[in-house]
Every structure is written in C-alpha cells, then in structure tokens.
Amino acid sequence: MPETRAEVRMLGDSYAREMRSLLYHAYRHEPTFAYLLESDRPGFDQRVRATIRELTHQHMLEQLPVLGLVIDERLVAVALIAPPQRRLGITESWAWRMRMLLTTGFRCTKRYLEYHEAVLGCLPPGPYHVLPLIGVHPEFQGKHLGEQLLEALHAWCAEDGGSQGLVLDTGNARYLDFYRRHGYEEVGEVALGPIREHVLFHANPQTEAQLSRQGMGL
C-alpha cells in the first residue's frame, strides 16, 4: 500500500476533542486497558473514555507537549509527550486522582497508578522522554502513519540534548516487531494480571554517538 504523508504539528487545546476521540478508538481494544479498566465488568467503554479524558485534560492543563499528524485538517495520529522532569507529574496530581476515582472507581484508579509506577520502575536512572499515550486512528492504520509519527517523535526529542531517549510501553505483543524495527530495545517487563507489559527504549542519536565514541576510546 502506498505511503500516505501527513503534516506534523504540535497540538494545542483546539485539538482536545479530536485527541480524546482518536485515543479512545486506539485504546479501547488494547489488552492493557482491558485489564486496568476491567473490561469484563459493565461500563468498560465509559471507563476508557473517562481515563483518556482525564489523562489528556491533565496533560494539556500542565502545558505538556503533544505531537500529531494531520491530513486535510483531520487529526490521524497523536502522541502525548512527558518531558524528563515531568515523568510523574500527572499521576501525582490529587485533582487527577480524584477525577479518576469518581469516573473509573477505586480499583481501576489503583491499578492504573500501580501500572504507571511499575513501568517507570523499569527504567535506569537518567533523563528520558516518556510517551504516556500514542495512537493512530483505526481508519488510517496500514498507511505507514505509525512510522511517520515515530520519526517525528525521535526528531523532536533529539533536539533536547539533555534527554537520553524516548520510552514507551505496550501490552500488545503484535506491536513488538514494529517497535524493534524502528530501533527500540526492551528494558523491562511488567506483569498486569495475564498481560505482559513491555517497556521499550529508543536512544537519542546523540546518546548513541557518545556511546560509540566511548567504545572506540575517543
């Protein structure tokens, strides 16, 4: 299938509704959300919508970066980015926790917090960018937009000379080969009930170059 090219944009509040809709469709069938938000219990779709809404709301409230791909003014892919110094900012917010408790319940909020802390616990010390949410709209999958989004993310994060790279996680095993082909290495694994959440790291080009020079004794 021919590649579809999209425009890369940093997104603001005007895209909030589209972001929530896209991420809801991207995550509602993901095994990680199925476990965290108890898909076997009535009200699962509402809990997915609420979780996406509260995460994106807090992200935008704290003015953290969001990178998206746009085709003909339609948002087709998006990634929320947590800079190194703000990796725990959203889940440490008591306002966020209270809204999650009210919309998803105690058990789901507790599961999400434990999952988030376990993923971050897999990382070695150092400054990293983290992607709490990333997705391509299902209608546009298979058009190489995932590759374009990763390329844009790698280029954007590489501009921060203080960051060692980019971290994301997935409980969907069918994505692993895709991420590995694009330079990600697994740095940890988290057990979420029957799900195995894989924590993946992509080094910034500057970091790779530094390691190469050190290896050559330069």
Side-chain angles (χ1 to χ4, degrees), residues 100-150:
M100 282 289 289
L101 284 168
L102 292 173
T103 55
T104 68
F106 175 79
R107 286 199 309 270
C108 293
T109 301
K110 183 173 183 289
R111 281 187 177 188
Y112 192 93
L113 289 170
E114 290 174 347
Y115 142 77
H116 184 72
E117 292 174 2
V119 167
L120 293 180
C122 291
L123 303 181
Y128 306 95
H129 285 86
V130 178
L131 301 179
L133 293 173
I134 178 173
V136 175
H137 196 288
E139 291 182 21
F140 290 85
Q141 290 177 2
K143 299 179 182 293
H144 303 284
L145 293 170
E147 288 91 338
Q148 290 181 46
L149 184 59
L150 286 183

Side-chain angles (χ1 to χ4, degrees), residues 155-168:
W156 188 87
C157 291
E159 294 180 4
D160 183 347
S163 175
Q164 295 182 14
L166 187 62
V167 172
L168 56 81

Side-chain angles (χ1 to χ4, degrees), residues 11-192:
L11 306 180
D13 291 338
S14 63
Y15 280 95
R17 183 185 297 272
E18 284 188 82
M19 275 190 273
R20 292 195 300 268
S21 175
L22 188 155
L23 290 168
Y24 164 75
H25 288 291
Y27 277 91
R28 63 188 297 260
H29 296 301
E30 285 301 301
T32 302
F33 267 47
Y35 171 76
L36 294 176
L37 303 177
E38 301 179 327
S39 62
D40 57 343
R41 189 163 59 84
F44 172 67
D45 276 1
Q46 290 87 341
R47 290 191 293 277
V48 174
R49 288 186 187 277
T51 300
I52 295 295
R53 182 182 66 245
E54 298 308 337
L55 287 171
T56 55
H57 171 78
Q58 192 68 28
H59 194 91
M60 302 301 284
L61 184 67
E62 298 185 14
Q63 299 183 326
L64 300 179
V66 181
L67 190 146
L69 299 183
V70 177
I71 297 176
D72 296 330
E73 295 305 313
R74 182 178 180 185
L75 184 65
V76 297
V78 66
L80 276 58
I81 307 169
Q85 69 275 18
R86 300 297 298 276
R87 287 187 347 209
L88 285 171
I90 288 177
T91 56
E92 286 181 337
S93 164
W94 282 107
W96 176 86
R97 293 188 183 200
M98 183 59 66
R99 292 195 302 270
M100 282 289 289
L101 284 168
L102 292 173
T103 55
T104 68
F106 175 79
R107 286 199 309 270
C108 293
T109 301
K110 183 173 183 289
R111 281 187 177 188
Y112 192 93
L113 289 170
E114 290 174 347
Y115 142 77
H116 184 72
E117 292 174 2
V119 167
L120 293 180
C122 291
L123 303 181
Y128 306 95
H129 285 86
V130 178
L131 301 179
L133 293 173
I134 178 173
V136 175
H137 196 288
E139 291 182 21
F140 290 85
Q141 290 177 2
K143 299 179 182 293
H144 303 284
L145 293 170
E147 288 91 338
Q148 290 181 46
L149 184 59
L150 286 183
E151 289 171 6
L153 285 163
H154 298 162
W156 188 87
C157 291
E159 294 180 4
D160 183 347
S163 175
Q164 295 182 14
L166 187 62
V167 172
L168 56 81
D169 61 278
T170 181
N172 195 329
R174 69 187 180 93
Y175 294 150
L176 292 178
D177 285 343
F178 168 78
Y179 286 125
R180 287 166 181 157
R181 288 198 307 271
H182 290 84
Y184 284 81
E185 297 182 357
E186 188 163 342
V187 295
E189 185 178 290
V190 175
L192 301 175

